[in-house]
């Protein structure tokens, strides 16, 4: 059913409703009464008529038959109307049913259309280029389309249900603006919101999004939700920016004062122009050329190639603007200077657009100004990007000293003297940056052949050809610069002098102290200025010394000498000084100068050198004596040891023991002399010091008086050292003996060992000692101490303060020699009249030490005894040995001892005899060869024997172990060396090893 039919039915029902209402009002009571009479069974008209209106009283017509007829007709009509109304009501009821069905159909169609619209809307949202984001009342994301995922890189499952403020998709500066756009609407707000914000994707890409935000009210006052449609306008904004730049560019061209605009279509060769250009060149619109070829004819022949080159460059790089100054022909035939600025638009129809500015007046002004500049007596130059783009002849004459000009646009700093380049670069930097408008310039220019020219002037921040530049003006200031340079150098010489320099006024008030003076005295300059030199007066220097010195200066005389001075920390040092006055032109003393040098270390070295020279002289003498003594003691030791093997008893054996002990003591004394004089070769190994100290403790407790106590403190982490255990024990024992003798009534000897690190300053005074980790041993006693007057002599050989017969004077000198051989230090630290402290420094090592028991002298003695028994158990078994020595007693003693052991012994007194014996006797297997012999020494004899008996084995012997010939024999392959006086077992051990080794070995 159509909508029009529905409207007709509704109108009909409304009309019948009013008819029924009128009928009911007029006839309703009568009809109701008649219906009652009929129901009661009353007959005749009276019953019905009686309920009709009584009309007879007003009109007799109604009382007659005609009236009755009409009343019946009226009743009939009323019944018919009632029936009609009932029929119409039924029809209307049927129409209502149809309307209800129509409403159901409409609602179904509406719901279906809504579902279709929702699907179409979803499809549209997913495929639209817009970003669609929907938020609920709490501003949580409830809709996130695929376009949103693509733009922001966030998937829907990651953001749905999350507050929009926590998505992390915004530039921090735009976060507040986004939240404000999504805020609830105010009462006055009717339209949607539009805002453009910066967003950032999860891959760091920035996008500009234009949001169209709609605030959707909820049903019956519910909270508002948000529908936001976003348009990615990043590319649009970029294009708009480029368009704005192009517009500004066009505006600048159009606003060029007095500029004529022109455009050249390259593909057509067509030229278009504006009126100003025509007017500048004196043409009218009809005469001005419109073709490219005719346009080029206006250019001066010298300028046309430059314009064509610039035109090609503009086509090659469309983005680069070209600027060229050329001469164009005026209609009158003269040439005008024009500045053409143009660029080329890229594309298939490339066109060159530019401006033309008349530079003729400017050129004339430039020519006048150039004439003034060219003839100026000052050097004028222009810098751009640190290059000289212009300089007048005077500048070049200063730079080149009359020579040829340098290449065009030279680097400015290359013209500056190398020593001034850094300063000039610092001066010019603020002018380039615009931080300063002017700067004073004082520098040197480098001329040809190394010539230097000092200049002075100013630099001014300016422009040149539209670009920032520096305008410089300089004058030759060589004379003044030379004076300032001399003054500066003198100041630098004084300040950087390796000696201390002090300047005072005539009253002695300090006005200046250079760096070295402050370094030596320890006073900073601010503490010296205003003081007097009395501040550094040594404690023990008499007052008369300073009085006489100052009086001499006041008389205008110089003083030179050495004196003690005191540093800030109280340290006194020896200074070599020269003091002299400074006079003015009239001869009046204006200042006093002191030049000082700390010679404390020099004096210490001189004293040590003098002591070393004395030691060397004594050592040479002692070395010769020791060599002779060793030769004398050698047969005595051999004989005494042999006699100990004989069956003596009682008094005879005691005498033999005394002989052996005496030889042993004499041998040790000689060894000390040798160690002092020339050093002795030691066997240094990586070792631990605690076992050595433990053995020392045992020896002291067994041999020292009971009233001498030991206090030993050794660090648990004591580093190993590389040393000879016997020599180190000897050094420590010598110090203990000295301490014992210094405590006649008893006392305490303290040992302390720890790890220290020595710096270069601590080792500088000790040749051969390297900075680094060391082991320090402090030996302190409570004895009488060492007097100050003898402290400088304690390390000299044979010097002693003990009574005659109680000391040899070699203990400390031997200890010094051993420590020097070990590259160590031994120092005296006694500071008072009571008690003495010696400090020993031994270099630490990183090598793995031997087992502690194997490095002690006691262990070595045990090994030696085992070796003696083993050597004595091996007979000579008829082997032939040649003994070569110029000492007859020693040669005889050795021959006797070897003969007792079963060896066949041959003898020779020098090298020549030895060579003859070996040539005559082929049975000789081993040669016992003395190194130091007259006529032919051991080294020459060894070389001669090796020529015809290279397999011959040799054992070298000598009274000294520090000899170049001994070292040469070792290099020739001699592996066995015996130091006189050697023991029987040492000789037999060497022979057994030589005979038992393979041929060719020694």
């Amino acid at each position: 059913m159509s909508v029009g039919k529905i409207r007709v039915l509704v109108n009909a029902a409304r009309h019948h409703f009013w008819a029924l209402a009128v009928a009911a009002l007029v006839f309703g009571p009568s009809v109701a009464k008649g219906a009652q009479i009929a129901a009661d069974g009353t007959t005749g008209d009276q019953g019905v008529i009686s309920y009709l209106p009584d009309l007879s009283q007003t009109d007799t017509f109604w009382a007659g038959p005609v009236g009755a007829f009409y009343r019946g007709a009226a009743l009939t009509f009323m019944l018919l109307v009632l029936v009609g109304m009932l029929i119409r009501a039924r029809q209307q009821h049927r129409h209502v049913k149809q309307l209800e069905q129509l409403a159901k159909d409409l609602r179904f169609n509406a719901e279906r259309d809504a579902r279709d619209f929702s699907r179409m809307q979803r499809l549209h949202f997913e495929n639209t280029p817009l970003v669609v984001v929907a938020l609920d009342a709490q501003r949580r994301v409830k809709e996130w389309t695929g376009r949103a995922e693509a733009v922001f890189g966030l998937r829907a499952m990651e953001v749905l249900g999350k507050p929009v403020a926590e998505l992390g998709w915004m530039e921090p500066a735009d976060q507040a603006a986004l939240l404000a756009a999504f805020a609830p609407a105010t009462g006055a707000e009717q339209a949607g919101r539009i805002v453009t914000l910066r967003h950032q994707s999860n891959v760091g890409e920035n996008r500009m999004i234009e949001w169209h935000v709609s605030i959707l009210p909820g049903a019956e006052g519910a909270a508002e939700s948000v529908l936001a449609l976003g348009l990615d306008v990043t590319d649009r904004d970029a294009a708009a920016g480029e368009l704005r730049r192009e517009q500004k560019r066009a505006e600048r061209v159009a606003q060029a004062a007095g500029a004529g605009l022109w455009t050249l279509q390259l593909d057509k060769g067509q030229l278009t122009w504006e009126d100003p250009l025509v007017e500048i060149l004196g043409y009218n619109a009809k005469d001005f050329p419109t073709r490219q070829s005719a346009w080029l004819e206006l250019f001066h022949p010298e300028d046309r190639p430059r314009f064509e080159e610039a035109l090609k460059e503009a086509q090659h790089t469309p983005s680069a603007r070209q600027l060229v100054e050329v001469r164009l022909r005026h209609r009158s035939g003269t040439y005008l200077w024009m500045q053409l600025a143009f660029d080329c638009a890229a594309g298939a129809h490339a066109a060159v657009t530019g401006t033309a500015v008349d530079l003729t007046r400017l050129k004339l002004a430039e020519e006048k100004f150039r004439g003034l500049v060219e003839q100026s007596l000052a050097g004028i130059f222009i810098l751009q990007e640190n290059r000289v783009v212009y300089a007048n002849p005077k500048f070049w004459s200063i730079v080149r000293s009359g020579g040829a000009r340098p290449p065009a646009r030279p680097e400015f700093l290359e013209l500056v003297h190398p020593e001034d380049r850094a300063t000039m670069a610092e001066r010019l930097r603020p002018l380039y940056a615009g931080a300063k408008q002017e700067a004073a310039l004082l520098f040197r220019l480098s001329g040809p052949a190394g010539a230097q020219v000092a200049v002075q002037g100013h630099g001014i921040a300016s422009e040149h050809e539209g670009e920032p530049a520096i305008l410089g003006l300089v004058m030759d200031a060589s004379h003044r610069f030379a004076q300032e340079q001399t003054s500066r150098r003198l100041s630098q010489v004084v300040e950087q002098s390796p000696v201390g320099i002090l300047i005072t006024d005539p009253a002695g008030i300090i006005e200046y102290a250079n760096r070295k003076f402050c370094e030596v005295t320890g006073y900073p300059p601010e503490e010296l200025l205003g003081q007097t030199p009395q501040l550094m007066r040594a404690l023990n220097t008499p007052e008369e010394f300073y009085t006489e010195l100052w009086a001499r200066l006041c008389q205008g005389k110089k003083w030179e000498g050495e004196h003690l001075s005191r540093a800030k920390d109280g340290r006194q040092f020896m200074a070599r000084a020269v003091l002299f006055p400074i006079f003015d032109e009239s001869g009046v003393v204006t200042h006093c100068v002191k030049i000082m040098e700390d010679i404390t270390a020099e004096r210490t070295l001189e004293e040590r050198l003098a002591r070393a020279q004395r030691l060397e002289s004594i050592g040479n003498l002692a070395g010769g004596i020791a060599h002779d003594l060793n030769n004398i003691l050698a047969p005595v030791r051999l004989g005494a040891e042999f006699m100990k093997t004989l069956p003596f008893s009682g008094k005879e054996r005691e005498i033999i023991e005394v002989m052996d002990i005496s030889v042993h003591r004499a041998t040790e004394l000689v060894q000390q002399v040798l160690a002092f004089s020339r050093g002795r070769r030691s066997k240094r190994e990586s070792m631990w010091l605690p076992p050595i100290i433990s053995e020392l403790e045992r020896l002291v407790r067994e041999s020292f008086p009971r009233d001498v106590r030991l206090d030993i403190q050794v660090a648990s982490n004591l580093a190993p050292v590389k040393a000879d255990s016997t020599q180190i024990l000897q050094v420590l024992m010598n110090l203990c003996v000295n301490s014992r003798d210094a405590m006649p009534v008893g006392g305490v000897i303290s040992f302390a060992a720890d790890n220290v690190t020595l710096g270069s300053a601590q080792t500088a005074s000790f040749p051969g000692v390297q900075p680094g980790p060391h082991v320090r041993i402090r030996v302190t006693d409570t004895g009488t101490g060492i007097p100050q007057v003898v402290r400088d002599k304690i390390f000299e050989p044979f010097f002693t303060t003990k009574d005659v017969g109680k000391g040899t004077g070699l203990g400390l000198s031997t200890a010094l020699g051993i420590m020097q051989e070990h590259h160590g230090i031994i120092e005296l630290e006694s500071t008072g009249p009571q008690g003495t402290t010696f400090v020993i420094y031994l270099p630490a090592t990183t090598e793995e030490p031997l087992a502690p028991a194997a490095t002690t002298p006691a262990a070595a003695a045990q090994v030696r005894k085992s070796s003696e028994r083993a050597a004595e158990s091996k007979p000579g078994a008829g082997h032939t040995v040649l003994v070569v020595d110029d000492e007859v007693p020693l040669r005889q003693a050795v021959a006797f001892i070897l003969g007792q052991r079963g060896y066949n012994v041959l003898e020779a007194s020098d090298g020549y005899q030895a060579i003859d014996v070996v040539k005559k006797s082929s049975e000789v297997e081993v040669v016992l060869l003395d190194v130091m012999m007259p006529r032919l020494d051991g080294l020459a004899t060894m070389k001669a024997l090796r020529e015809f008996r290279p397999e011959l084995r040799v054992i070298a012997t000598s009274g000294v172990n520090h000899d170049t010939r001994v070292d040469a024999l070792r290099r020739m392959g001699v592996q066995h060396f015996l130091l006189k006086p050697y023991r029987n077992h040492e000789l037999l051990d060497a022979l057994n090893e030589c005979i038992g080794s393979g041929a060719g070995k020694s």
Side-chain angles (χ1 to χ4, degrees), residues 186 190 361 363 378 438 485 620 640 718 809 828 841 846 931 955:
T186 61
Q190 300 295 333
R361 294 183 179 179
K363 286 293 183 179
E438 183 178 357
Q485 190 74 3
N620 292 332
L718 202 64
L828 171 65
Y841 296 94
T846 57
V931 176
I955 300 174

Side-chain angles (χ1 to χ4, degrees), residues 597-624:
E597 183 179 9
D598 184 1
I599 60 172
T600 305
E602 181 181 335
R603 283 287 173 265
T604 303
L605 289 177
E606 288 178 356
E607 293 173 1
R608 289 181 177 175
L609 178 60
R611 185 172 59 193
Q613 290 174 345
R614 293 196 301 270
L615 292 175
E616 182 179 3
S617 300
I618 298 174
N620 292 332
L621 176 62

Side-chain angles (χ1 to χ4, degrees), residues 129 131 147 151-152 169-171 174 195-201 205-211 229-239 244:
V131 175
R147 180 59 179 169
V151 172
F152 303 119
W169 59 333
M170 294 293 302
E171 284 289 330
D174 292 352
V195 61
T196 301
L197 303 173
R198 292 171 296 175
H199 289 261
Q200 188 175 31
S201 67
E205 184 181 5
N206 293 323
R207 309 297 296 177
M208 295 294 295
I209 304 297
E210 181 180 275
W211 290 102
L229 303 180
L231 177 62
D232 188 349
V233 296
T234 305
D235 296 336
R236 184 194 70 184
D237 288 355
R244 287 192 297 272

Side-chain angles (χ1 to χ4, degrees), residues 412-428 441-446 452-455 481 485 488-489 492:
F412 176 69
L413 292 180
E414 292 182 358
L415 304 177
V416 178
H417 191 275
E419 296 179 1
D420 298 342
R421 288 175 183 173
T423 303
M424 279 303 301
E426 191 67 24
R427 288 289 184 92
L428 296 178
L441 304 179
L442 179 61
F443 59 97
R444 290 168 294 174
L445 292 169
S446 295
Q452 301 179 19
V453 181
V455 295
F481 187 83
Q485 190 74 3
R488 187 184 305 112
R489 286 178 179 174
Q492 292 174 348

Side-chain angles (χ1 to χ4, degrees), residues 296 299-314 322-328 335-340 342 359 363 465:
L296 294 178
F299 284 79
H300 192 282
E302 296 178 359
D303 300 338
R304 186 184 305 167
R306 289 193 292 112
F307 173 74
E308 292 177 343
E309 184 66 24
L311 196 62
K312 293 179 181 178
E313 183 65 22
Q322 304 297 321
L323 189 67
V324 61
E325 293 182 0
V326 296
R327 285 165 290 182
L328 293 179
Y335 284 94
L336 301 180
W337 277 102
M338 305 290 290
Q339 183 186 68
L340 302 183
F342 56 91
L359 300 179
K363 286 293 183 179
E465 297 182 353

Side-chain angles (χ1 to χ4, degrees), residues 901-917:
R901 303 306 300 170
Y903 287 95
N904 295 326
V905 181
L906 300 177
E907 298 181 33
S909 61
D910 57 34
Y912 291 111
Q913 289 185 9
I915 295 172
D916 292 339
V917 171

Side-chain angles (χ1 to χ4, degrees), residues 1-11 95 99:
M1 180 181 293
S2 65
V3 177
K5 292 182 178 181
I6 294 174
R7 185 178 294 110
V8 171
L9 292 176
V10 172
N11 292 332
H95 292 164
L99 289 175

Side-chain angles (χ1 to χ4, degrees), residues 173 240 343 575 585 641 772 793 814 839 841:
D343 53 20
E585 293 81 359
E641 288 189 349
K793 301 179 181 180
T814 301
V839 183
Y841 296 94

